[in-house]
Amino acid sequence: ATIIGLGLSGIAFSGSDIGGFQGNPTPELYVRWFQCASFVMFCRTHSSNSVEHRSPWTYGEPSVSIIRQFLQLRYRLLPYLYTLSWEATQTGYPPVRPVFWADPTDAALWDVEDAFLLGDALLVCPVVEAGGRSRSITLPKGHWYNYWDDTLLMGATTVSLDAPLEQIPLLVKAGTALPMEEDNHLTLHLYPATAPSQTTLYSDAGDGDGAMRLDRFHVHRQDQGMAIEWHSEGEFAFPYTGVTLQLHAGELLQAWVDDREVECKENRVGCDRPFHRAHLRMKHEG
């Protein structure tokens, strides 16, 4: 709640000491704290020198493996996090947002303090109690995909979501083209929606100054699939070695990139360079 309030007050970059500055959290609650902190802008492990040593590897398994997986996820999300940081400088919008940001007219969202939006695309639902293996959340309007299994959820409802120790509920807004990076390769994770949508990706040399680049991805749903139009501006060179389009709903049957048919495999399409337009023909679920 404090991080959300700080963001609304103009302080976009904040976070907590993972595990708390004082006290000695159990392995379970340390893991839960780390899972939550992986999705805020200031993510660090830190504590008083009067508490027990609490580096992640001091907790043993399965804690270490779970923490490693979430830290790796955070690193894959860096293109998205960096774009949100740039957006904050341009608009003042906080990267970590209250759930009601998605629909300020929905009074059911006004008092939600145990979940938050990371940008417009991700809804993060931390687990904050020992023994918790599920939790409920009131969703904003629209449709949302479960990040872990691609289940589609109807918005403007209250749902109960599984939360085994190795996961916390993480939802992706329908219409998102979520940018993620691994080994200097960019993947756009496509979560279809019926309405058109746009995703922006900001890049520079990592210093927030000098040459920069904006890549905008316009996604349009079509009768037999979807089209992705890619528009770029700025002088900074495209920083990735290649691009993959990963579909998260339905079955990808055929794909064309700049009017050339390309191979589809495991619901994904790979490209070795930026393109102008891609068309995906898909078999819709149901």
Side-chain angles (χ1 to χ4, degrees):
T2 299
I3 295 171
I4 291 171
L6 285 170
L8 293 175
S9 302
I11 302 176
F13 192 85
S14 68
S16 65
D17 298 324
I18 295 175
F21 187 69
Q22 297 290 352
N24 297 298
T26 64
E28 177 189 6
L29 290 182
Y30 185 86
V31 165
R32 292 306 199 187
W33 202 315
F34 199 102
Q35 289 170 332
C36 175
S38 297
F39 300 100
V40 302
M41 305 309 288
F42 186 44
C43 174
R44 74 169 185 179
T45 61
H46 180 66
S47 65
S48 165
N49 59 11
S50 63
V51 302
E52 296 177 5
H53 189 56
R54 65 157 74 138
S55 298
W57 50 87
T58 64
Y59 289 97
E61 295 292 355
S63 301
V64 175
S65 292
I66 296 170
I67 290 169
R68 180 184 297 114
Q69 290 166 4
F70 272 81
L71 188 57
Q72 290 170 341
L73 174 56
R74 178 179 176 86
Y75 269 83
R76 293 197 299 274
L77 282 169
L78 281 180
Y80 181 64
L81 294 168
Y82 201 61
T83 299
L84 291 178
S85 298
W86 167 79
E87 184 183 62
T89 70
Q90 303 299 302
T91 66
Y93 296 168
V96 175
R97 303 168 184 175
V99 178
F100 68 72
W101 188 279
D103 184 9
T105 67
D106 187 351
L109 305 177
W110 293 351
D111 294 328
V112 178
E113 294 186 336
D114 61 350
F116 59 89
L117 293 166
L118 180 58
D120 289 332
L122 297 179
L123 176 56
V124 184
C125 308
V127 175
V128 297
E129 296 179 350
R133 295 298 181 267
S134 67
R135 61 153 296 169
S136 63
I137 179 66
T138 300
L139 301 178
K141 63 183 179 181
H143 292 83
W144 298 83
Y145 289 88
N146 188 320
Y147 174 84
W148 305 110
D149 61 13
D150 292 340
T151 299
L152 183 61
L153 302 170
M154 180 72 70
T157 59
T158 299
V159 298
S160 180
L161 301 172
D162 291 336
L165 182 60
E166 64 271 15
Q167 295 176 0
I168 58 173
L170 177 63
L171 306 180
V172 187
K173 185 178 181 180
T176 295
L178 183 65
M180 299 179 72
E181 181 266 339
E182 191 165 8
D183 296 329
N184 204 34
H185 186 95
L186 179 69
T187 298
L188 293 176
H189 293 268
L190 304 174
Y191 294 86
T194 55
S197 61
Q198 175 182 289
T199 295
T200 299
L201 176 64
Y202 172 86
S203 304
D204 63 20
D207 56 6
D209 197 6
M212 49 78 71
R213 177 188 183 96
L214 287 177
D215 292 288
R216 304 186 192 276
F217 305 96
H218 301 268
V219 181
H220 309 271
R221 193 71 179 263
Q222 299 178 338
D223 289 342
Q224 294 184 332
M226 66 171 61
I228 301 98
E229 297 179 2
W230 188 341
H231 303 280
S232 302
E233 60 182 88
E235 299 178 354
F236 190 69
F238 186 66
Y240 302 101
T241 57
V243 183
T244 295
L245 303 177
Q246 177 72 62
L247 181 65
H248 284 268
E251 179 184 356
L252 183 57
L253 302 176
Q254 285 180 289
W256 295 262
V257 174
D258 290 335
D259 299 322
R260 179 175 62 89
E261 187 170 2
V262 294
E263 182 183 10
C264 307
K265 187 176 182 181
E266 296 179 340
N267 258 21
R268 69 169 66 102
V269 175
C271 314
D272 58 4
R273 57 180 174 79
F275 56 82
H276 297 291
R277 182 179 176 88
H279 176 72
L280 308 182
R281 187 169 76 85
M282 17 182 312
K283 179 180 178 182
H284 303 299
E285 292 182 342

